[in-house]
């Protein structure tokens, strides 16, 4: 705890202010333990942009969970660097803020680029929590410290390979398994999994790989008691999702379609889904995520926390978010070792024998950032 931090007061209302001295952007290249394949392609490594912010004597970390390619989202690790350096940072420097909740307003003129905005907001929430000597989950208004772990498993070369992988996570007591589907890898693979695991809490994520003409496939999938089907159609197809949701009994969960508070409100009003997957990265940070969470809660739409193969830094932010009360379904948050051989935090994220992940009790993000490792995986660094 620095001496000066809480002594820096806003001269108008005596609230502690945050003045951000500088931010650094670290472009990492992290090799995955196992390649990850979705309907939009296979990746062997992840390329997040880590945001390190300095304010009030503290250091905070955030993650823009982008990748090298604009396939899941239009953003990449390079667009995140460009947007932060040339548009977000100029609006932050020489500005005193009381709370990072002001950031969506400060960044309001910049359209989209949610992954970039979320990374900066995260770093400042980490500092804000440290200044207040509280764990991030408490700052966020979290209620449960233990959150249910789920795992998202990519498309494999053979069905046997996927079924073996599922077995591994079932043995570790993960609370639900999500598989990726695409045309040609859907009804048959789900039937094979159901043969082996009739009762397993199972979901399928299409990452927008289908069109409304594929409705027959979804009538077929409807027979397998899936907990939900995630993002079957294009992200802009809210109306077609609503039509599909009327035709099938399996709940539709939206991921890519929900990029803003307005998207969430409209999807709910149209009946496009019964569940929403919230990613801070996709909606531009915690503040928007919390508003979406609250709208969903008021409309009896359960949410869960999605992931983007984050490093430990982004994952700790996701864990803190997932402690909020309407996160009522298992999350795409798994143990560090499921993603990376060496995570960049200590202690690494682990799953208890009850299939849960415990949010940390210490101030801020609640884990040490291993700066030597961080440096080892950094392929380029920019100071703002
Ligand atoms: O659609 O949820 C998705 C990973 C990259 C891009 C999109 C998605 C995913 C995942 C992985 O499903 C979730 C995780 O981080 O465990
Ligand atoms: Mg998804």
């Amino acid at each position: 705890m620095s001496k000066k931090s809480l002594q820096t007061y806003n001269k108008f209302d005596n609230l502690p202010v945050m003045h951000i001295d500088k931010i650094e952007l670290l472009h990492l290249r992290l090799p995955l333990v196992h390649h990850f394949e979705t309907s939009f392609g296979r990746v062997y490594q992840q390329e997040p942009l880590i945001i390190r912010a300095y304010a009030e004597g503290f250091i905070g970390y955030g993650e823009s969970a982008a990748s090298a390619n604009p396939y899941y989202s239009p953003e990449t690790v390079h667009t995140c660097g460009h947007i932060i350096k040339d548009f977000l940072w100029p609006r932050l420097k020489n500005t005193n803020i009381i709370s990072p909740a002001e950031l969506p307003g400060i960044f309001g003129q910049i359209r989209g680029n949610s992954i970039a905005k979320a990374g900066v907001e995260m770093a400042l929430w980490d500092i804000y929590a440290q200044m207040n000597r509280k764990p991030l989950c408490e700052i966020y208004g979290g209620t449960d410290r233990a959150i249910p772990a789920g795992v998202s498993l990519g498309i494999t070369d053979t069905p046997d390979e996927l079924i073996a992988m599922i077995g591994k996570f079932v043995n570790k007591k993960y609370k639900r398994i999500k598989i990726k589907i695409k045309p040609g890898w859907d009804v048959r693979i789900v039937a094979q999994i159901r043969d082996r695991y009739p009762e397993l809490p199972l979901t399928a994520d299409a990452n927008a790989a289908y069109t409304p003409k594929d409705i027959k496939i979804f009538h077929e999938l409807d027979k397998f008691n899936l907990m939900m089907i995630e993002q079957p159609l294009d992200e802009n197809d809210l109306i077609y999702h609503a039509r599909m949701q009327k035709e099938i009994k399996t709940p539709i969960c939206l991921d890519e379609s929900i990029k803003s508070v307005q998207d969430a409100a409209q999807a709910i009003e149209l009946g496009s889904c019964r569940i929403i997957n919230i990613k801070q990265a996709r909606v531009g940070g915690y503040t928007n995520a919390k508003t979406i969470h609250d709208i969903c809660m008021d409309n009896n739409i359960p949410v869960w926390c999605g992931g983007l193969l984050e490093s430990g830094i982004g994952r700790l932010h996701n864990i803190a978010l997932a402690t909020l009360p309407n996160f009522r379904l298992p999350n795409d948050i798994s143990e560090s070792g499921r993603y990376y051989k060496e995570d960049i935090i200590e202690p690494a994220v682990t799953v208890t024998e009850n299939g849960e992940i415990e949010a940390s009790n210490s101030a801020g993000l609640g884990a040490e950032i291993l700066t030597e490792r961080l440096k080892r995986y950094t392929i380029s660094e920019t100071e703002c």
Side-chain angles (χ1 to χ4, degrees):
M1 179 72 193
S2 109
K3 291 158 268 107
K4 89 169 219 266
S5 61
L6 289 176
Q7 274 77 57
T8 317
Y9 291 102
N10 176 312
K11 63 177 184 251
F12 300 110
D13 55 13
N14 252 15
L15 284 166
V17 300
M18 288 170 77
H19 178 89
I20 301 109
D21 301 321
K22 73 169 173 180
I23 61 177
E24 292 164 350
L25 308 177
L26 313 176
H27 174 171
L28 308 195
R29 184 167 288 156
L30 290 169
L32 288 159
V33 167
H34 191 278
H35 61 73
F36 188 75
E37 184 173 326
T38 63
S39 59
F40 53 79
R42 181 180 279 196
V43 288
Y44 292 84
Q45 59 201 15
Q46 192 56 357
E47 297 199 26
L49 190 72
I50 297 299
I51 292 90
R52 177 156 55 202
Y54 298 78
E56 307 304 326
F58 295 95
I59 298 177
Y61 285 90
E63 176 165 347
S64 285
S67 45
N69 307 308
Y71 300 159
Y72 167 78
S73 136
E75 296 179 81
T76 70
V77 61
H78 293 289
T79 70
C80 286
H82 162 53
I83 292 293
I84 294 173
K85 184 169 187 295
D86 297 329
F87 295 99
L88 304 185
W89 173 243
R91 283 165 174 78
L92 271 186
K93 70 171 180 192
N94 305 322
T95 307
N96 285 341
I97 60 168
I98 308 263
S99 151
E102 294 164 46
L103 262 56
I106 293 173
F107 296 158
Q109 190 184 13
I110 295 134
R111 301 218 188 262
N113 292 288
S114 297
I115 301 180
K117 291 172 181 172
V120 175
E121 202 183 303
M122 283 178 206
L124 299 194
W125 280 116
D126 180 14
I127 292 179
Y128 183 82
Q130 293 178 61
M131 283 172 71
N132 286 280
R133 297 195 208 88
K134 287 188 176 147
L136 200 57
C137 61
E138 210 177 307
I139 295 286
Y140 283 174
T143 43
D144 314 305
R145 285 291 164 96
I147 62 158
V151 68
S152 170
L153 299 176
I155 294 162
T156 50
D157 291 332
T158 64
D160 286 348
E161 206 182 316
L162 180 57
I163 287 167
M165 232 189 239
I166 290 173
K168 229 175 73 184
F169 290 96
V170 167
N171 289 339
K172 290 182 177 218
K173 303 287 187 273
Y174 276 71
K175 298 216 183 273
R176 68 102 174 97
I177 306 288
K178 165 170 135 181
I179 64 157
K180 294 291 187 178
I181 56 170
K182 66 173 182 182
W185 182 269
D186 43 40
V187 177
R188 208 147 23 108
I189 186 73
V190 170
Q192 280 169 291
I193 296 167
R194 271 289 175 246
D195 254 2
R196 175 70 186 75
Y197 295 105
E199 306 293 333
L200 178 69
L202 182 67
T203 79
D205 184 359
N207 287 110
Y210 296 88
T211 73
K213 292 202 181 93
D214 296 316
I215 185 69
K216 259 182 64 193
I217 292 170
F218 294 90
H219 281 301
E220 286 296 312
L221 289 174
D222 223 9
K223 297 172 184 160
F224 295 102
N225 191 29
L226 297 174
M227 284 173 85
M228 70 193 83
I229 296 173
E230 187 177 336
Q231 196 68 41
L233 306 175
D234 187 86
E235 63 180 52
N236 299 310
D237 280 353
L238 282 186
I239 289 173
Y240 291 104
H241 277 110
R243 287 183 191 162
M244 183 184 281
Q245 183 66 93
K246 280 201 193 75
E247 289 205 27
I248 63 173
K249 62 177 198 300
T250 308
I252 291 178
C253 169
L254 291 178
D255 174 352
E256 286 91 328
S257 289
I258 311 299
K259 297 176 294 264
S260 65
V261 171
Q262 289 90 335
D263 287 339
Q266 289 177 27
I268 293 169
E269 184 154 337
L270 287 168
S272 311
C273 61
R274 292 197 199 124
I275 299 172
I276 287 179
N277 149 346
I278 299 185
K279 294 178 183 168
Q280 304 180 67
R282 203 191 55 231
V283 303
Y286 161 77
T287 307
N288 291 336
K290 170 73 162 69
T291 308
I292 294 171
H293 164 275
D294 294 351
I295 291 174
C296 288
M297 190 141 98
D298 290 345
N299 287 279
N300 203 20
I301 300 282
V303 305
W304 52 278
C305 183
L308 290 171
L309 309 175
E310 282 89 349
S311 77
I313 291 171
R315 198 157 341 104
L316 290 173
H317 281 281
N318 289 347
I319 291 168
L321 179 69
T323 62
L324 292 173
N326 195 38
F327 283 81
R328 287 190 269 147
L329 294 165
N331 306 288
D332 270 355
I333 308 179
S334 315
E335 67 205 295
S336 292
R338 176 265 175 283
Y339 305 96
Y340 303 107
K341 200 158 103 216
E342 293 186 314
D343 207 338
I344 52 178
I345 53 166
E346 176 68 44
V349 173
T350 53
V351 170
T352 67
E353 50 195 35
N354 300 323
E356 292 177 325
I357 292 174
E358 303 269 357
S360 167
N361 279 320
S362 26
L365 269 185
E368 186 195 343
I369 310 301
L370 301 173
T371 48
E372 278 309 310
R373 264 190 205 173
L374 198 54
K375 201 182 276 170
R376 192 143 44 78
Y377 289 112
T378 295
I379 59 170
S380 80
E381 184 171 346
T382 312
E383 193 178 303
C384 295

